[in-house]
Amino acid sequence: MDFIISQGNMVLILGWAAHKTAALNANMIEAHCDAQKLELDLFTYPRNDVVQRFQLPGDNSCLGFLAVISGVSGDLDHISISHSQTLFSMSKLNFKQANNVGEVLSHVPIRQEEAKKFVENYGISLAGSNSSSSLIIRNRDKDVEKIKGILQGVDIAKVGALETLHAEALPEIHRIWKAKQSKNNNRELKVFGEVIEVPKVSVIIPLYGRYDFMQHQLANFAADPFMAAVEVIYVLDDPALQREVLITAHGLFKTFRYPFKLILSERNRGFAGANNLGVEFATSEHLLLLNSDILPKQNAWLEVYLEQFASLEDAGIMGATLIYEDETVQHAGMEFREDSHYPGIWMNHHPFKGVPVGLVPLDDVYQTPITTGACMLMTTKLYRELEGFDSMYVLGDFEDSDLCLKVIDRGYKVYVSGKIKLYHLERLSQDLVDSGDWKFKLTLANGAYQANKWRNLIQELSA
């Protein structure tokens, strides 16, 4: 594959296919997403240079192609191209991401006008850039692949599987992850608008994949008078999207004239690392950790939220009541619940989840054992003293409960505001990384890490 570009749910590819001994034709080439066959159409032409380079038996052993694949969404790692009963995974092929369709067409060596009409028949704009937020092209992470390989070798159905995870798999996973965290600490700060000298609160919002939520949040913040005194810091934890996000950020500032900061990380740090990086740039005494897919219901919510937090002398962290768009509860505090299938692992359980919020008797402020990292209000000083989120929870899971346990261990309490209700489009801000059961095994491994670290305190809170 030479060039690739996406528009909407379509992908345009320029490349070639060859066979060392057999003839090829366009009907032999297919596209697949996991086990599902995708709609593929080809514009083909000879590639004599490839025939000569690999000394193929004849011109019909190779064909150049311009391919349109329809119905694609999400990460390209799941896409494969096949011919002659052989699959070629996109994750293992080298290609350049084109800036526009014209760049791709300029590399078609012959019949360019026909190639242009072929592309236009699919409604693909010749000037269109790769601005689709639903399709993200990334190189496969070698460290994650190593971790996946370790976990795929663990049979969690066997007796003693948790002990194997904790004693054998987890140390090796942590060794890989710790080495990854030490690589490339480069970051760049971009400031849009005037810096707020003494902000009332610094809001840290990590971005991964779905950066389009910025538009909805900034539209809301710009319409709220109290937010004029708030420092908003976005952290892009997705280097593959730097160009798109920078263009979007400039456009959003011109549209809403709401000031914000954007931190560009040169590597993927994960949820914990992205928040920790954002806090390095925070200048307020108060800190709000917020997911990008959380949207306020009304103005002045943050002013009331801060007042509630300030009224509690023993508050270490205060969460908010998070609801789905259908007004049912997504989060109203969390509690530890021991997994019945894997005793010794405590999962973070959400009481009242899915219940209409009007049917749940919530106090204006109520104490909870733990709260979600999707929305956490605390002092910047305490966060830094506790060294923030523990980044050794690999690819997410349990960082929020771990931070709550740090706070409780320090002598503070965890609260949730029943008065502040925010919409949470749960998990739409993340990429779930991959299919298969290795991610579930990783959750168990992270759970084993938390249990080993905090067993006595978790048992006390559970009781």
Side-chain angles (χ1 to χ4, degrees):
M1 300 205 183
D2 298 315
F3 291 94
I4 187 167
I5 190 168
S6 68
Q7 282 190 17
N9 68 342
M10 288 185 289
V11 177
L12 181 66
I13 299 170
L14 184 78
W16 53 265
H19 198 291
K20 292 180 179 179
T21 59
L24 281 181
N25 62 65
N27 294 331
M28 299 170 67
I29 298 178
E30 296 180 344
H32 304 265
C33 180
D34 296 327
Q36 183 180 356
K37 186 176 177 180
L38 296 172
E39 184 181 340
L40 170 72
D41 195 8
L42 296 175
F43 172 85
T44 62
Y45 49 88
R47 283 294 298 262
N48 295 326
D49 57 328
V50 178
V51 173
Q52 294 172 12
R53 168 67 178 81
F54 294 103
Q55 297 181 340
L56 299 176
D59 292 346
N60 60 358
S61 296
C62 175
L63 56 86
F65 62 78
L66 190 62
V68 174
I69 304 176
S70 303
V72 178
S73 62
D75 200 314
L76 283 181
D77 280 353
H78 297 286
I79 307 299
S80 296
I81 309 294
S82 70
H83 76 72
S84 309
Q85 298 181 328
T86 303
L87 284 174
F88 299 89
S89 174
M90 297 274 285
S91 64
K92 296 180 180 178
L93 295 170
N94 294 319
F95 51 79
K96 179 182 177 182
Q97 186 172 346
N99 293 315
N100 54 64
V101 176
E103 180 182 2
V104 177
L105 292 175
S106 69
H107 289 272
V108 177
I110 60 173
R111 298 159 50 207
Q112 286 194 358
E113 282 303 313
E114 293 179 50
K116 178 181 175 181
K117 289 178 181 178
F118 169 79
V119 170
E120 288 178 328
N121 284 339
Y122 280 91
I124 295 175
S125 169
L126 299 187
S129 64
N130 183 20
S131 60
S132 169
S133 62
S134 64
L135 181 64
I136 303 155
I137 303 170
R138 302 186 184 90
N139 294 324
R140 190 175 284 272
D141 191 306
K142 293 179 180 178
D143 293 315
V144 173
E145 290 300 300
K146 291 177 186 177
I147 291 170
K148 187 195 299 187
I150 293 168
L151 291 167
Q152 286 174 338
V154 177
D155 185 355
I156 56 174
K158 280 188 175 181
V159 175
L162 283 183
E163 288 77 6
T164 301
L165 269 176
H166 187 265
E168 298 177 18
L170 198 56
E172 184 62 14
I173 290 170
H174 277 186
R175 183 191 66 77
I176 294 168
W177 198 247
K178 193 173 289 185
K180 177 181 176 63
Q181 300 304 309
S182 66
K183 298 175 187 174
N184 190 0
N185 199 34
N186 295 338
R187 77 289 294 278
E188 184 179 0
L189 174 65
K190 300 286 187 180
V191 179
F192 296 86
E194 294 185 11
V195 174
I196 301 170
E197 293 298 331
V198 187
K200 293 185 177 179
V201 61
S202 296
V203 182
I204 311 299
I205 308 172
L207 297 172
Y208 183 85
R210 291 291 302 275
Y211 62 88
D212 53 313
F213 286 121
M214 292 174 69
Q215 176 178 338
H216 303 286
Q217 286 188 327
L218 291 174
N220 195 295
F221 297 164
D224 185 341
F226 181 78
M227 294 300 292
V230 173
E231 177 182 59
V232 173
I233 304 173
Y234 284 102
V235 182
L236 179 60
D237 191 39
D238 199 344
L241 295 179
Q242 281 195 10
R243 180 177 176 274
E244 290 94 328
V245 171
L246 272 173
I247 292 171
T248 300
H250 280 284
L252 291 176
F253 177 69
K254 286 182 179 179
T255 301
F256 299 114
R257 292 295 171 184
Y258 182 82
F260 62 95
K261 296 178 179 179
L262 173 63
I263 302 170
L264 305 174
S265 174
E266 288 298 317
R267 65 172 171 85
N268 175 239
R269 299 166 184 266
F271 178 78
N275 276 286
N276 292 345
L277 175 59
V279 175
E280 289 183 29
F281 292 84
T283 62
S284 174
E285 294 181 1
H286 288 90
L287 193 66
L288 176 63
L289 310 175
L290 195 70
N291 276 14
S292 62
D293 57 356
I294 286 185
L295 300 171
K297 289 191 69 176
Q298 66 278 320
N299 286 348
W301 64 278
L302 189 47
E303 183 177 13
V304 176
Y305 198 12
L306 283 167
E307 289 171 355
Q308 287 184 306
F309 181 79
S311 69
L312 302 167
E313 293 183 0
D314 58 356
I317 292 174
M318 177 179 276
T321 302
L322 307 181
I323 59 175
Y324 293 112
E325 59 270 29
D326 64 354
E327 303 291 329
T328 59
V329 173
Q330 187 272 322
H331 173 82
M334 296 192 301
E335 61 189 20
F336 290 108
R337 180 171 290 184
E338 190 169 11
D339 194 295
S340 57
H341 297 288
Y342 301 97
I345 300 290
W346 283 269
M347 295 297 183
N348 298 343
H349 175 67
H350 292 253
F352 306 115
K353 189 168 186 174
V355 178
V357 69
L359 300 180
V360 182
L362 299 175
D363 294 332
D364 283 356
V365 175
Y366 51 96
Q367 192 177 342
T368 181
I370 49 179
T371 190
T372 178
C375 182
M376 280 182 165
L377 180 62
M378 61 191 303
T379 65
T380 307
K381 179 182 177 183
L382 181 58
Y383 188 91
R384 288 173 175 163
E385 285 177 357
L386 298 174
E387 298 182 345
F389 285 122
D390 185 341
S391 61
M392 296 313 293
Y393 290 97
V394 180
L395 292 180
D397 291 328
F398 304 106
E399 300 103 331
D400 45 11
S401 52
D402 181 275
L403 184 58
C404 290
L405 290 164
K406 286 183 184 180
V407 163
I408 294 168
D409 190 54
R410 186 63 71 90
Y412 295 96
K413 294 178 181 177
V414 178
Y415 292 91
V416 171
S417 170
K419 196 170 186 178
I420 301 303
K421 298 180 178 68
L422 308 170
Y423 289 114
H424 187 201
L425 309 178
E426 188 182 23
R427 289 195 176 272
L428 289 186
S429 61
Q430 333 179 356
D431 185 315
L432 298 183
V433 183
D434 208 343
S435 57
D437 68 349
W438 73 274
K439 188 67 169 63
F440 172 65
K441 294 175 186 177
L442 183 58
T443 296
L444 291 179
N446 284 329
Y449 174 57
Q450 177 179 252
N452 186 60
K453 186 177 177 182
W454 296 107
R455 188 176 309 278
N456 292 339
L457 184 53
I458 290 174
Q459 288 176 335
E460 181 183 332
L461 290 169
S462 299

